[in-house]
Amino acid sequence: MQNGNKMQKEPITVNGLKKLKEELVYLKEKKRPEIVAAIAEARSHGDLKENAEYHAAREEQAKIESRIIEVNDLIARANVIDVTKLEKKDSVIFGSTVSLFDLENKQKKTYKIVGKDEADLTKNYIYFKSPIGKALIGKKKKDLVTVNIPSGEKKFEIIKVEYI
């Protein structure tokens, strides 16, 4: 949270917030007690200077505590956007699902525009500030979109915009 964005709201979908809350419960109720037990077990083995298990467990504990702080912060700054409750327009907005036709390879692709923590290309969830996300926001069905990506330019036609 450099550059003073500490309290900057971060857009997130309803499902994204639900997943963050589930992760927080998992970290606090399952992972944290497991690592405390692992540290106690490693500590019982004697000399801590030479104890690799102890040091590995402490490192894991630091990672878990850091992620708990990060998730708490994300939840605190969450600006939940429920596209199913927004006035329906025909333009691409945060949370919408966009079907594209790749004009080069003639293939159809569908993306959901999401926040940073939800972005996952394996699920076709793209970050709204990514090159594709930025190119799509505000566009409408039948618009032609050019996206600058590392391998060059991609041209798409928007086939459908959904708010699901």
Side-chain angles (χ1 to χ4, degrees):
M1 306 325 111
Q2 310 88 337
N3 301 341
N5 346 340
K6 193 69 182 147
M7 287 315 293
Q8 187 176 346
K9 289 291 190 186
E10 194 64 39
I12 192 167
T13 64
V14 172
N15 201 38
L17 183 63
K18 181 175 165 256
K19 284 192 165 98
L20 278 177
K21 287 180 175 178
E22 287 169 359
E23 180 184 358
L24 190 59
V25 168
Y26 171 76
L27 289 170
K28 285 180 168 180
E29 295 179 7
K30 178 137 179 56
K31 291 304 283 178
R32 187 185 265 164
E34 281 176 5
I35 202 66
V36 167
I39 289 169
E41 170 69 22
R43 195 178 270 146
S44 73
H45 295 181
D47 185 10
L48 298 182
K49 273 190 265 179
E50 307 272 326
N51 190 330
E53 288 167 20
Y54 174 78
H55 293 289
R58 292 288 298 186
E59 201 172 295
E60 183 65 18
Q61 182 183 37
K63 284 181 193 166
I64 290 167
E65 294 305 322
S66 176
R67 182 63 183 158
I68 287 171
I69 290 166
E70 186 181 352
V71 172
N72 267 324
D73 179 60
L74 286 166
I75 290 170
R77 294 185 304 114
N79 178 16
V80 180
I81 297 173
D82 184 349
V83 286
T84 64
K85 291 187 169 62
L86 295 176
E87 181 187 330
K88 301 300 179 265
K89 292 192 167 66
D90 56 355
S91 60
V92 178
I93 58 171
F94 179 89
S96 56
T97 301
V98 187
S99 297
L100 304 171
F101 183 71
D102 187 321
L103 298 172
E104 202 174 292
N105 64 20
K106 309 293 185 219
Q107 290 186 334
K108 184 181 165 190
K109 285 199 174 292
T110 301
Y111 294 111
K112 184 169 182 78
I113 312 291
V114 297
K116 185 168 52 179
D117 218 55
E118 296 173 85
D120 181 348
L121 265 182
T122 63
K123 295 178 183 170
N124 288 336
Y125 284 15
I126 57 169
Y127 182 35
F128 75 101
K129 288 185 179 174
S130 70
I132 296 175
K134 283 198 272 194
L136 293 174
I137 295 284
K139 300 290 190 297
K140 297 178 176 0
K141 183 178 175 181
K142 295 195 190 306
D143 278 358
L144 296 178
V145 180
T146 302
V147 181
N148 291 313
I149 55 172
S151 59
E153 275 189 353
K154 294 280 274 175
K155 293 183 186 294
F156 299 100
E157 180 182 352
I158 298 175
I159 305 169
K160 185 169 30 168
V161 179
E162 299 175 280
Y163 306 93
I164 48 178

